Each structure stands twice: as structure tokens, then as C-alpha cells.
């Protein structure tokens, strides 16, 4: 591939050079490899010499890219403020304070956060490389950084020159880009913060990354890719290479820190591929580092044969569930075999970030005044909040925890800040835990502790851990045998066939969640609806069982099945089983089933109604001394055999002919026999009134056979 030649000067790269322009096609995987001839080049041999040197380093985090959990004293000034006065990150810091006050505070911060004393201490402790996170705004000016970050490049040059004099190498890390590559504060911008009011907000449920393009939270995919953003970042990387290639201390650059896991993998590979050649054109002697995007299994064969490329992975235990000390040690030692297997199939491996923390109690680790649902998973402790080191900033609040309030609690209270309680035997456990990590990570070409210092708990501070004796006094010197063998016994427990990819539990929680299957509102709605239906079906099954049991206990004195309904029930015989098998509903709810379920709930005093489309035939009940009127009326309308089949001496036990004859005599023609009650006029007026008040009526619905017969008394249908 022919790429534009780099400018010899250190100025910015123009958008066009001659007739060529940087483009980002999406080639097949086979195109993401280099020819074997490249391995014979002088540049490749220089890279092999460089990779032979073990990189033992720390991150200079919180310096050029502010993060509230590293330097909380810089963010006290945004507590208790309304929405417009709240800053969650570097972007908000410059936006709220403005270019003048923001730049004043940043210049003082740059001078005080990374000092010559800090760098000398690192050298004395065996550190040979520092990883420096930077933002793209240092080489690509845009709001709100214009004016606010003036002088940042000069400060970067100061530290690089000091590292050169001390013998420290420098790896530049593009930590933050415009529109954010992961939606978190470490990218410079906390994206998609939603406010309920001026004191309450939510971030984690709605977070997204905009550098890649337009993200759809329902499908957890990108509906469009912003190639302009990606192309601009490629140009920024080349500008950095041109500006810093003449510094002997700078050994390389990391293309992008922690692009989140929903970045399309083909887009990420295309970006890395173009960035590699853009940087290599400007600084062919540099090491080029790519981050795994928290998907270690996606990089086998990628950029095979390309010299000077390394894969960065971040290994944290702070977001694990509660575990035993032995479990943490086992997980740390497992990474030795993982790294060796990865280097055999992919690229040389660098562990770009790790710490000694085993919980996330450190204040604002999951965001300014925020926390993730369910975190922290352990009881946290408290320590005196650090006092500001930048002038003009008030100290921590001394009263109740001020706002704003996110989805979780993490804020100072009464001058105290939340931190980890640590283990009861921290001073004995942490040196062993640190040794396990150092031994495992030495299987790669290097590692970088996160962070070189921090204002709160020592588990995130190299200097703090050193002061407590948790780390070897000199990490470049041979480790004591008792510590260097910490993983030997543990490694023997694992079979060679164990998976070497990144387990879900190894990921920071914010990269393991949300899953594409769990965060979609459509999926959640479907699951809720399905659960509701299954619950209703289970309740219905219980009701059916109880009603069926009551049917078996029904007394013989109750009314029998009316013939028209019995006729409908007979028509349902022979149907195939149906219904919800898992719940035991094997029979269809046919007319037979409906009648069998509802009839036991009725007695002689209840109404039984079966209305056809137009008419209903009624028979009114009579007191025991008047039931002969009903029988006499029936003899005038029904065949004699039907009347003779009537058994009993009162309407309570009166059976309709079809129910008394049995199924052998049932036929559609006989079931359509006409039947009606005697008219109310057949009874004496005074008796009709008296008896109607004594006993409620019961009705037997006639079939359509009674239509047009002058002997049938018709009444409008009444549905209860």
C-alpha cells in the first residue's frame, strides 16, 4: 500500500498530500498481514532488539487526561452544584471553568502532579518505562479545550526530556478522542448523562461511545460508522509521531485506549491497520501498540509478519465478585499461561494496566458521584479526604454527602472519603499477590501499573504500595525465590487444555455489561410478557384442578346437564389433546369442558341460561305444591316417553329428559323437542305474586326447534 510521505518537520499533517489521501477501506482478514520480506528490514531488526527489553513501567494517569478517582481534590469544586456547574471529566472541567480559570488550574496541576522527584523515585524502584495517557485535543484543537489546555504539549516535552535524562523510556498512549471511544470519564467525555432534575442523574444505563458512529442501545449495534472520526484519529496519530519521533526516550505509541466491546471488530481492525502504516511512515522505529477491545480471541493472525506491533490487554480484579485470597492468586497466575499462548497465536503482549485492588471501593472509581448498580460488592472503609494541591479549590465537604446523586453512592461525607477496607492480613497477602502478577505478566514483553500515584487508597498507587512494602523494592532486580515460585504450584493444577481467552469474569464490569441480550427494552418487554403469561397459565391450571375436584364431590341433587349443552359437549368428543403441555393443560377448553367446569358452581337456585341467536324459552320454578303445573304443561308439548322419564317429586330434582334417558336415546331430533313453561297467566294471580317472591326462577334454554310454535312463550335473551 502506498501511503503519503511524512513531512520532515514536526508540524501537523495536512488533510491532503499531493494526490493521495488517507482512506479507510475494510479489507478481508487476509489483507491485514505483512509480507515476510518485511521481517528482513532494518526497522524490523531494531524492533526485535527493542522487544527483547522487558518493559517494567507505570502509568502517568490523571496528568494530561483528568480522572476524578485519581485526583478527587480537583473535582471537589463541582460538588453540590446544579447541572450546568457539574463536571464529570476533562471535557466538563474545561467547559464549566472556561478557558482562563481552567488553564490556570491545569498549568498548576501539570507542574505538581508529575515532578522530578516522582520520576527519580520510579527509577530507583526499577521502573524503566512510563506510559503517558494523552488526549487528541493536544494536536487537534476543538471546544471546550481551546485555550483551556494551552501549554499541554510544552509540559509533555518537559517530562519526556526529564525521562531521557533519567534513562526512562516513554510509551505515548492516545487515551482520549473526540466523541469518546467508550463513554467513560477515562476517554475525556462521560457520554449520555441523563438528568432527572438538577440533583439526580443517570449514566451507566444510557452510556454509549460516539467516536465509532451512531449507536443503537436497543440492538447494541452501530447503525452507521463515522469514518470521518476514525480518519481524523489516524491523522492525529501521525501528527503525534511526527512531533515526537526525534525524542530518543519515546519508544512508541498506543493507537487507542480501551475502545469499548461493542465496537465492530472489522472497523477496529481497519483503524489499527491504517494507523500502523500512518505512524510507521512518520516513525519507522517506533513500537505500535493496539488494545484488544476486551476481546482477546479476535486477534489471532492479525498483522502477522508486521514488525514492531504489540497487543495491549488490561487485567483488573477490582470488579470481581467476592472471592477468597486463594482465588485471586489463582486467577493472577493463570495469566502467565494465557499470555504465552496469546503470543504464540497473535502478537507480543503488553499488560497496559493492572493494580492490586480487589474491590472498587475507591471513591469515584465508577464515575464522579456515581456507582454501578450492585457495586461495591463489599463493605467499604473510610479515610481522610486529601486536601487540594491546586490553589483556589476548597477542601472536601465536612457535612452530609452533597449532590449530585447518580445511580449509586460514592461521595465524601464529613471530611471522609470511601476506600477499600483491605484484607485483615493485607501486609502479608499483598506482597504475595503482587509477586503473582509480576511473575505472570513477565511472560509478555512488559507491564504498566495503574497508577504511579493516587490521592486515595494505595492499591491503585505504585508509590503508596511501595511505601507499605507490598511491592519489591526494585522490580528490575531478581525477585526472592519464595515470591518468584508463587505460581509454580498453582500452575500445575491447571490442565494444558484450559481456555486461554479472556473470561467474562476477568473483564472490568463496565466492559462485561450490558450484554446485547440483556439491555434491549424489546427483549425485556418480551420476557416480562412471557413471564406474565406463564404465571397466569399456572394460576389457571390450579383453578382447573380445584374446580375438577369440586365436580367429583358434586351432590346428585344438583341440576343435570341440559341436553342442548350436552349435545355441544358430545360434538367435542374425539378431538386431539392440546394446550400448554408443560403446565399439564392437555385438553382443549371445548364446550364439554366449559360446562363441566361451570356447572358444579350452580345449584337449583341459580340461573342456567343458553340463548340462541333470537329467542329463549323459559320455565319458571314453582313451589313444591305447584310442580304438577309444570309437568302438565310438559305433557302437552313433549312425547310421553320423555315425560315418564322424569324422576323425583319436586323441581329441585327435576331432570330434563335428555339427562335421564342416557346417551343411547340421545339424538339431535329428540333433543330438539319443544318445551316451554306454562304461561304466568295459567297460575292464579295472587299465587304467582306470592310464589315468585318466595323462590327465584331457574331457566332452561330451548333450542331453535321451538321457533314459530304458537305454544312457545318467547322472551328476550338475558345474559348474566
Amino acid at each position: 500500500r502506498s501511503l503519503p510521505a511524512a513531512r520532515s518537520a514536526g508540524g501537523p499533517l495536512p488533510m491532503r498530500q499531493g494526490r493521495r489521501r488517507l482512506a479507510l477501506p475494510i479489507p478481508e482478514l487476509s489483507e491485514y498481514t505483512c509480507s515476510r520480506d518485511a521481517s528482513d528490514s532494518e526497522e524490523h531488526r531494531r524492533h526485535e532488539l527493542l522487544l527483547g527489553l522487558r518493559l517494567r513501567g507505570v502509568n502517568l494517569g490523571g496528568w494530561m487526561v483528568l480522572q476524578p478517582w485519581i485526583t478527587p481534590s480537583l473535582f471537589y469544586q463541582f460538588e453540590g452544584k446544579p447541572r450546568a456547574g457539574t463536571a464529570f471529566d476533562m471535557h466538563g472541567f474545561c467547559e464549566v471553568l472556561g478557558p482562563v480559570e481552567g488553564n490556570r488550574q491545569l498549568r498548576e496541576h501539570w507542574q505538581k502532579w508529575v515532578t522530578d522527584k516522582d520520576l527519580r523515585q520510579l527509577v530507583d524502584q526499577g521502573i524503566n518505562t512510563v506510559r503517558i495517557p494523552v488526549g487528541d485535543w493536544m494536536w487537534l484543537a476543538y471546544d471546550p479545550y481551546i485555550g483551556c489546555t494551552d501549554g499541554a504539549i510544552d509540559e509533555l516535552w518537559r517530562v519526556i526530556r526529564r525521562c531521557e535524562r533519567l534513562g526512562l523510556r516513554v510509551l505515548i498512549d492516545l487515551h482520549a478522542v473526540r466523541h469518546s471511544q467508550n463513554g467513560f470519564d477515562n476517554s475525556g467525555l462521560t457520554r449520555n448523562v441523563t438528568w432527572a432534575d438538577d440533583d439526580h442523574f443517570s449514566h451507566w444505563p444510557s452510556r454509549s461511545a460516539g467516536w465509532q458512529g451512531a449507536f443503537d442501545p436497543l440492538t447494541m449495534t452501530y447503525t452507521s460508522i463515522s469514518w470521518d472520526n476514525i480518519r481524523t484519529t489516524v491523522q492525529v496519530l501521525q501528527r503525534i509521531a511526527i512531533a515526537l519521533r526525534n525524542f530518543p526516550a519515546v519508544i512508541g505509541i498506543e493507537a487507542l485506549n480501551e475502545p469499548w466491546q461493542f465496537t465492530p471488530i472489522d472497523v477496529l481492525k481497519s483503524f489499527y491497520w491504517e494507523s500502523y502504516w500512518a505512524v510507521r511512515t512518520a516513525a519507522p522505529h517506533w513500537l505500535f501498540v493496539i488494545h484488544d477491545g476486551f476481546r482477546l480471541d479476535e486477534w489471532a493472525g492479525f498483522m502477522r509478519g508486521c514488525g514492531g506491533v504489540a497487543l495491549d490487554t488490561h487485567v483488573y480484579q477490582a470488579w470481581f465478585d467476592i472471592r477468597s485470597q486463594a482465588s485471586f492468586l489463582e486467577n493472577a497466575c493463570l495469566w502467565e499461561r494465557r499470555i504465552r499462548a496469546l503470543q504464540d497465536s497473535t502478537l507480543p503482549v503488553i499488560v497496559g494496566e493492572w493494580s492490586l485492588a480487589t474491590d472498587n471501593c475507591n471513591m469515584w472509581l465508577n464515575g464522579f458521584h456515581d456507582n454501578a448498580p450492585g457495586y461495591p460488592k463489599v463493605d467499604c472503609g473510610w479515610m481522610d479526604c486529601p486536601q487540594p494541591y491546586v490553589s483556589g479549590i476548597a477542601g472536601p465537604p465536612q457535612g452530609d454527602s452533597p449532590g449530585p446523586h447518580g445511580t449509586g453512592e460514592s461521595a465524601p461525607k464529613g471530611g471522609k472519603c470511601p476506600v477499600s477496607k483491605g484484607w485483615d492480613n493485607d501486609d502479608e497477602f499483598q506482597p504475595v499477590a503482587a509477586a503473582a502478577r509480576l511473575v505472570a505478566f513477565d511472560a509478555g514483553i512488559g507491564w504498566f501499573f495503574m497508577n504511579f500515584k493516587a490521592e486515595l487508597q494505595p492499591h491503585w498507587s505504585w508509590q503508596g504500595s511501595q511505601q507499605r512494602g507490598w511491592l519489591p523494592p526494585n522490580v528490575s532486580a531478581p525477585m526472592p525465590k519464595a515470591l518468584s515460585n508463587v505460581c509454580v504450584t498453582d500452575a500445575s493444577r491447571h490442565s494444558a487444555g484450559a481456555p486461554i481467552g479472556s473470561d467474562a469474569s476477568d473483564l472490568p464490569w463496565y466492559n462485561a455489561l450490558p450484554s446485547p441480550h440483556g439491555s434491549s427494552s424489546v427483549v425485556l418487554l418480551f420476557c416480562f410478557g412471557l413471564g406474565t403469561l406463564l404465571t397466569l397459565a399456572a394460576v389457571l391450571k390450579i383453578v382447573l384442578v380445584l374446580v375438577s375436584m369440586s365436580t367429583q364431590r358434586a351432590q346428585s341433587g344438583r341440576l343435570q346437564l341440559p341436553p342442548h349443552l350436552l349435545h355441544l359437549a358430545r360434538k367435542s368428543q374425539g378431538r386431539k389433546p392440546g394446550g400448554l403441555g408443560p403446565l399439564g393443560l392437555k385438553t382443549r377448553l371445548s364446550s364439554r369442558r366449559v360446562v363441566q367446569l361451570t356447572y358444579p358452581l350452580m345449584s337449583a337456585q341459580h340461573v342456567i341460561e343458553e340463548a340462541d341467536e333470537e329467542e329463549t324459552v323459559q320455565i319458571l320454578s314453582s313451589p313444591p305444591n305447584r310442580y304438577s303445573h309444570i309437568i302438565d304443561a310438559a305433557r302437552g308439548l313433549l312425547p310421553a316417553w320423555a315425560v315418564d322419564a322424569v324422576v323425583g317429586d319436586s323441581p329441585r330434582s327435576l331432570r330434563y329428559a335428555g339427562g335421564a334417558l342416557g346417551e343411547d336415546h340421545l339424538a339431535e331430533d329428540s333433543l330438539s323437542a319443544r318445551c316451554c313453561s306454562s304461561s304466568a297467566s295459567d297460575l292464579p294471580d295472587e299465587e304467582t305474586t306470592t310464589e315468585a317472591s318466595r323462590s327465584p326462577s331457574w331457566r332452561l334454554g330451548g333450542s331453535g326447534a321451538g321457533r314459530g310454535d304458537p305454544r312457545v312463550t318467547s322472551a328476550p335473551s338475558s345474559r348474566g
Side-chain angles (χ1 to χ4, degrees):
R1 181 185 302 272
S2 141
L3 291 174
R7 294 181 56 181
S8 57
L13 183 71
M15 291 295 292
R16 288 181 179 270
Q17 288 194 351
R19 298 182 180 179
R20 300 289 297 176
R21 182 173 181 172
L22 289 175
L24 289 174
I26 307 179
E28 299 295 332
L29 178 61
S30 59
E31 297 186 38
Y32 293 127
T33 58
C34 300
S35 65
R36 295 189 178 274
D37 293 340
S39 63
D40 298 328
S41 65
E42 178 64 23
E43 292 83 358
H44 181 75
R45 285 193 290 270
R46 293 177 63 182
H47 279 293
E48 290 297 320
L49 179 62
L50 177 64
L51 297 182
L53 300 175
R54 296 301 178 189
L55 305 179
R56 295 177 172 89
V58 295
N59 284 270
L60 301 187
W63 184 45
M64 285 295 164
V65 180
L66 301 181
Q67 292 183 244
W69 71 270
I70 299 177
T71 56
S73 66
L74 285 177
F75 287 81
Y76 292 157
Q77 57 190 319
F78 305 114
E79 293 186 290
K81 298 296 180 64
R83 182 186 318 183
T86 302
F88 297 91
D89 42 46
M90 183 78 176
H91 186 280
F93 184 93
C94 287
E95 187 174 48
V96 173
L97 296 180
V100 177
E101 177 61 19
N103 188 246
R104 183 198 70 80
Q105 292 189 19
L106 284 178
R107 286 181 180 273
E108 187 175 351
H109 158 70
W110 292 331
Q111 287 285 331
K112 293 181 177 180
W113 187 243
V114 178
T115 65
D116 289 351
K117 179 181 177 181
D118 294 328
L119 298 176
R120 284 195 302 270
Q121 282 184 343
L122 294 176
V123 173
D124 294 340
Q125 294 160 357
I127 296 298
N128 59 28
T129 313
V130 292
R131 181 174 180 255
I132 302 181
V134 298
D136 66 348
W137 54 80
M138 296 169 63
W139 290 271
L140 180 70
Y142 57 91
D143 287 331
Y145 302 108
I146 297 176
C148 182
T149 59
D150 286 354
I153 293 182
D154 294 332
E155 285 296 317
L156 178 63
W157 286 349
R158 172 183 68 85
V159 170
I160 291 176
R161 292 190 182 101
R162 185 57 182 164
C163 288
E164 182 180 341
R165 288 194 295 269
L166 293 172
L168 284 171
R169 303 180 183 88
V170 174
L171 176 66
I172 301 297
D173 163 39
L174 186 56
H175 213 75
V177 294
R178 193 174 190 177
H179 304 298
S180 176
Q181 74 274 20
N182 56 34
F184 312 126
D185 56 15
N186 62 13
S187 69
L189 174 63
T190 305
R191 277 182 57 88
N192 288 2
V193 175
T194 58
W195 290 83
D197 51 53
D198 273 349
D199 197 45
H200 295 86
F201 68 91
S202 174
H203 170 235
W204 297 116
S206 58
R207 70 192 186 277
S208 68
W211 173 77
Q212 296 88 336
F215 184 72
D216 182 0
L218 296 180
T219 61
M220 306 305 289
T221 59
Y222 280 88
T223 58
S224 64
I225 301 300
S226 178
W227 292 107
D228 286 339
N229 290 345
I230 297 172
R231 184 178 296 110
T232 299
T233 303
V234 173
Q235 295 170 351
V236 168
L237 289 168
Q238 193 172 50
R239 292 176 184 178
I240 297 174
I242 293 172
L244 303 179
R245 62 187 175 186
N246 294 322
F247 286 94
V250 180
I251 63 171
I253 189 170
E254 182 160 353
L256 188 62
N257 177 73
E258 291 189 352
W260 77 333
Q261 75 277 21
F262 298 114
T263 306
I265 195 64
D266 56 343
V267 173
L268 192 56
K269 287 181 177 180
S270 180
F271 163 70
Y272 285 154
W273 179 258
E274 289 292 337
S275 300
Y276 172 74
W277 292 109
V279 170
R280 196 164 175 79
T281 301
H285 59 287
W286 272 16
L287 173 67
F288 184 81
V289 182
I290 63 174
H291 187 269
D292 63 3
F294 301 98
R295 288 169 287 184
L296 277 175
D297 56 348
E298 294 286 350
W299 306 100
F302 181 67
M303 300 189 73
R304 187 182 301 276
C306 300
V309 184
L311 179 68
D312 175 22
T313 188
H314 296 172
V315 182
Y316 286 123
Q317 295 181 338
W319 285 269
F320 281 6
D321 290 329
I322 298 175
R323 296 188 179 191
S324 65
Q325 291 182 348
S327 178
F328 283 112
L329 292 177
E330 179 181 351
N331 174 267
C333 292
L334 182 62
W335 275 96
E336 180 179 8
R337 190 170 48 82
R338 282 183 176 175
I339 291 172
R340 295 188 189 279
L342 284 169
Q343 293 189 135
D344 291 340
S345 62
T346 57
L347 296 166
V349 174
I350 293 176
V351 179
E353 294 182 17
W354 63 281
S355 74
L356 294 179
T358 54
D359 59 56
N360 57 15
C361 288
N362 193 99
M363 187 176 74
W364 301 341
L365 184 62
N366 289 332
F368 176 74
H369 270 261
D370 199 6
N371 218 325
Y375 285 86
K377 294 181 177 293
V378 299
D379 292 333
C380 299
W382 297 85
M383 66 171 286
D384 291 335
C385 291
Q387 295 300 315
Y389 57 90
V390 172
S391 61
I393 300 178
Q398 298 299 316
D400 292 336
S401 177
H405 302 285
T407 54
E409 289 295 329
S410 182
K413 183 178 181 180
K416 301 287 187 179
C417 289
V419 293
S420 173
K421 281 185 176 179
W423 302 91
D424 293 337
N425 61 338
D426 241 5
D427 290 338
E428 292 76 29
F429 171 68
Q430 291 298 349
V432 179
R437 292 171 173 84
L438 293 173
V439 169
F441 300 158
D442 267 344
I445 67 171
W447 48 259
F448 295 88
F449 189 90
M450 188 71 182
N451 193 34
F452 83 108
K453 68 179 179 182
E455 287 192 304
L456 292 174
Q457 68 185 64
H459 303 78
W460 293 95
S461 169
W462 180 270
Q463 292 181 356
S465 297
Q466 281 281 354
Q467 292 171 3
R468 284 161 179 77
W470 296 348
L471 293 166
N474 189 322
V475 292
S476 294
M479 193 179 299
K481 187 174 182 180
L483 294 178
S484 62
N485 292 333
V486 66
C487 289
V488 173
T489 304
D490 182 82
S492 62
R493 301 191 194 121
H494 304 284
S495 63
I500 56 92
S502 179
D503 187 83
S505 63
D506 295 333
L507 301 182
W509 79 270
Y510 50 79
N511 284 287
L513 296 174
S515 69
H517 305 287
S519 57
S520 171
S521 59
V522 176
V523 175
L524 292 176
L525 182 61
F526 172 78
C527 294
F528 175 78
L530 180 61
T532 303
L533 291 176
L534 292 176
T535 302
L536 292 176
V539 173
L540 177 60
K541 173 60 179 177
I542 295 174
V543 173
L544 295 180
V545 172
L546 294 177
V547 171
S548 299
M549 293 173 61
S550 65
T551 303
Q552 298 175 0
R553 295 193 299 266
Q555 299 178 358
S556 59
R558 292 188 177 183
L559 295 175
Q560 302 299 304
L561 188 66
H564 184 63
L565 295 182
L566 182 60
H567 172 64
L568 295 176
R570 289 195 65 199
K571 291 173 65 176
S572 68
Q573 290 180 350
R575 292 185 178 179
K576 296 180 180 180
L580 298 176
L583 296 176
L585 303 179
K586 291 293 186 181
T587 306
R588 296 181 186 275
L589 292 179
S590 61
S591 56
R592 171 190 288 272
R593 188 63 172 166
V594 172
V595 172
Q596 289 175 344
L597 293 177
T598 58
Y599 184 76
L601 302 178
M602 302 178 184
S603 67
Q605 303 300 322
H606 293 140
V607 174
I608 299 178
E609 178 181 282
E610 172 61 309
D612 61 6
E613 295 83 351
E614 300 177 1
E615 299 173 322
T616 295
V617 180
Q618 300 179 352
I619 297 180
L620 301 177
S621 65
S622 300
N625 62 343
R626 296 296 182 183
Y627 71 90
S628 60
H629 290 84
I630 300 177
I631 298 177
D632 292 339
R635 288 182 184 279
L637 297 174
L638 299 177
W641 58 266
V643 178
D644 293 339
V646 176
V647 180
D649 57 359
S650 72
R652 178 178 295 276
S653 61
L654 179 64
R655 303 185 189 183
Y656 199 58
L661 291 177
E663 295 186 357
D664 292 339
H665 298 282
L666 285 178
E668 190 169 353
D669 294 337
S670 64
L671 290 176
S672 63
R674 295 176 177 82
C675 153
C676 72
S677 70
S678 59
S679 173
S681 61
D682 294 338
L683 299 176
D685 294 339
E686 67 278 4
E687 293 180 355
T688 302
T689 304
T690 302
E691 299 305 331
S693 62
R694 293 178 184 175
S695 176
S697 63
W698 62 280
R699 304 169 185 170
L700 288 179
S703 68
R707 297 174 187 169
D709 195 314
R711 296 171 295 179
V712 176
T713 300
S714 300
S717 174
S718 173
R719 300 186 181 275

